């Protein structure tokens, strides 16, 4: 059944539910995306954390769980799942009757989606993004769109500026000066977090790297390095120098300070910041 805003709203009013369950159903309905890409969601789904729903409802988490169970067992057949990790928002979808003739009047015309399409609480990426326009996402019209869309995606807990930095670096590495805005949403939907193994290896490298107090020059270089966005700055420096020259700098730094590769990379980046080859 092709469910729409009006169809679900009518089913909510026709389904015998407690007053609180009716309210919860309408809150979930308000967050549903009716076109792929709104709020970063697939059509027909909404995203909320249980804390958000409990706050909107003004009830305890325990009471909220009971209300969700009531909606799931009712004719609304509410289903929820969490594809993006333990602390990510839940995704919600109202089910429909498999019997096309059971409730012939619950399917709305396509016009029912127009209000949802124009609603200010929906997110749509349109236009083009100039990759070199600015490095600060908050000086662009995209910051609020990223913030709204990421709430239902794997990058839900990543800083908006970090998402923008990675998107810009991704396109610069491919020589893109401008891209359709939809590319940003697609980039976010395909987000891959750093593998835990990589984090463990890097942490081990830091913890085992000899950093004697007398070696203040290496420590100063590392402090100058932009460690938070190391991978993005590495891409920038590799593009400017070329891969062989970049690797040679790292090897020379390892020999110069008798250190491991990871601190040597940071030192190379710190030196590049000092010479204005990259920005911190």
């Amino acid at each position: 059944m092709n469910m729409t805003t009006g169809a679900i709203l009518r089913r909510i009013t026709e389904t015998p539910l407690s007053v609180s369950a009716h309210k919860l159903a309408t809150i979930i309905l308000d967050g549903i995306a009716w076109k792929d890409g709104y709020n970063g969601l697939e059509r027909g789904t909404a995203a909320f954390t249980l804390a958000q729903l409990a706050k909107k409802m003004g009830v305890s988490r325990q009471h909220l769980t009971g209300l969700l169970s009531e909606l799931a067992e009712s004719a609304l057949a509410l289903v929820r799942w969490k594809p993006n990790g333990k602390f990510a928002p839940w995704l919600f979808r109202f089910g429909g009757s498999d019997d096309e003739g059971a409730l012939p009047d619950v399917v709305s015309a396509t016009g029912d989606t127009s209000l949802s399409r124009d609603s200010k609480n929906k997110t749509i990426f349109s236009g083009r993004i100039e990759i070199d326009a600015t490095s600060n996402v908050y000086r662009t019209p995209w910051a609020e769109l990223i913030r709204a869309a990421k709430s239902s995606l794997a990058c839900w807990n990543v800083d908006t500026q970090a998402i923008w930095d990675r998107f810009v670096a991704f396109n610069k590495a491919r020589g893109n000066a401008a891209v359709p805005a939809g590319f940003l949403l697609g980039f976010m939907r395909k987000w891959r977090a750093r593998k835990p193994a990589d984090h463990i290896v890097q942490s081990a490298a830091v913890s085992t790297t000899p950093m004697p107090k007398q070696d203040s020059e290496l420590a100063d270089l590392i402090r100058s390095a932009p460690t938070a966005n190391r991978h993005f700055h590495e891409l920038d420096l590799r593009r400017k120098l070329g891969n062989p020259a970049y690797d040679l700098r790292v090897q020379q730094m390892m020999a110069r300070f008798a250190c491991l590769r990871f601190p040597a990379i940071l030192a190379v980046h710190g030196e590049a910041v000092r010479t204005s080859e990259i920005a911190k």
Side-chain angles (χ1 to χ4, degrees):
M1 181 178 294
N2 184 23
M3 302 296 285
T4 60
T5 309
I8 296 178
L9 184 58
R10 282 194 293 273
R11 176 159 294 184
I12 290 172
T13 60
E14 294 168 357
T15 301
L17 295 166
S18 65
V19 174
S20 294
H22 270 119
K23 179 180 178 181
L24 177 59
T26 56
I27 289 174
I28 294 174
L29 172 61
D30 182 60
I32 285 180
W34 288 110
K35 182 178 180 182
D36 280 338
Y38 284 113
N39 293 346
L41 297 167
E42 294 182 2
R43 185 179 186 277
T45 59
F48 296 96
T49 64
L50 295 186
Q52 287 173 331
L53 287 178
K55 183 177 181 180
K56 286 177 178 289
M57 288 291 297
V59 299
S60 67
R61 290 280 291 272
Q62 184 177 5
H63 188 192
L64 176 66
T65 301
L67 295 175
L68 289 171
S69 297
E70 183 179 352
L71 292 179
E73 295 167 2
S74 70
L76 294 174
L78 179 70
V79 293
R80 60 185 173 120
W81 67 102
K82 185 182 288 191
N84 296 318
K86 180 178 179 181
F87 299 103
W90 286 88
L91 300 186
F92 296 85
R93 183 188 294 273
F94 289 105
S97 172
D98 293 331
D99 183 1
E100 289 288 339
L103 292 170
D105 64 333
V106 300
V107 180
S108 300
T110 55
D112 277 352
T113 64
S114 60
L115 291 178
S116 184
R117 182 176 294 118
D118 297 333
S119 177
K120 64 182 180 181
N121 71 339
K122 301 296 188 235
T123 305
I124 184 168
F125 290 74
S126 62
R128 292 182 67 79
I129 297 175
E130 301 294 330
I131 299 302
D132 290 321
T134 177
S135 60
N136 187 340
V137 69
Y138 298 104
R139 295 180 180 175
T140 74
W142 311 112
E144 187 61 26
L145 293 175
I146 293 173
R147 186 199 63 76
K150 73 178 182 178
S151 63
S152 61
L153 302 175
C155 57
W156 64 275
N157 60 344
V158 180
D159 181 71
T160 298
Q161 182 65 53
I163 293 174
W164 177 256
D165 289 342
R166 188 179 295 188
F167 176 73
V168 169
F170 176 84
N171 283 284
K172 281 185 176 180
R174 287 156 179 76
N176 298 330
V179 296
F183 281 23
L184 177 54
L185 178 60
F187 181 82
M188 293 169 64
R189 296 177 83 167
K190 295 180 180 178
W191 187 272
R192 295 291 182 270
R194 182 182 298 175
K195 296 180 181 178
D198 294 341
H199 175 72
I200 293 172
V201 169
Q202 291 182 6
S203 298
V206 173
S207 63
T208 58
T209 299
M211 294 286 289
K213 292 182 178 180
Q214 65 269 24
D215 201 349
S216 60
E217 185 179 0
L218 176 60
D220 289 342
L221 286 174
I222 290 177
R223 277 195 293 269
S224 300
T227 55
N229 297 317
R230 180 177 66 83
H231 295 289
F232 307 143
H233 291 288
E234 179 176 337
L235 287 174
D236 287 343
L237 201 52
R238 283 184 178 275
R239 188 172 63 255
K240 290 179 180 179
L241 301 176
N243 289 331
Y246 177 88
D247 293 333
L248 179 60
R249 280 197 186 185
V250 173
Q251 292 171 7
Q252 290 174 339
M253 197 68 72
M254 292 172 66
R256 177 178 168 187
F257 294 107
C259 63
L260 298 179
R261 182 176 178 82
F262 180 68
I265 289 174
L266 294 181
V268 167
H269 293 180
E271 195 171 62
V273 168
R274 290 184 176 185
T275 57
S276 301
E277 290 181 289
I278 58 175
K280 186 166 183 177

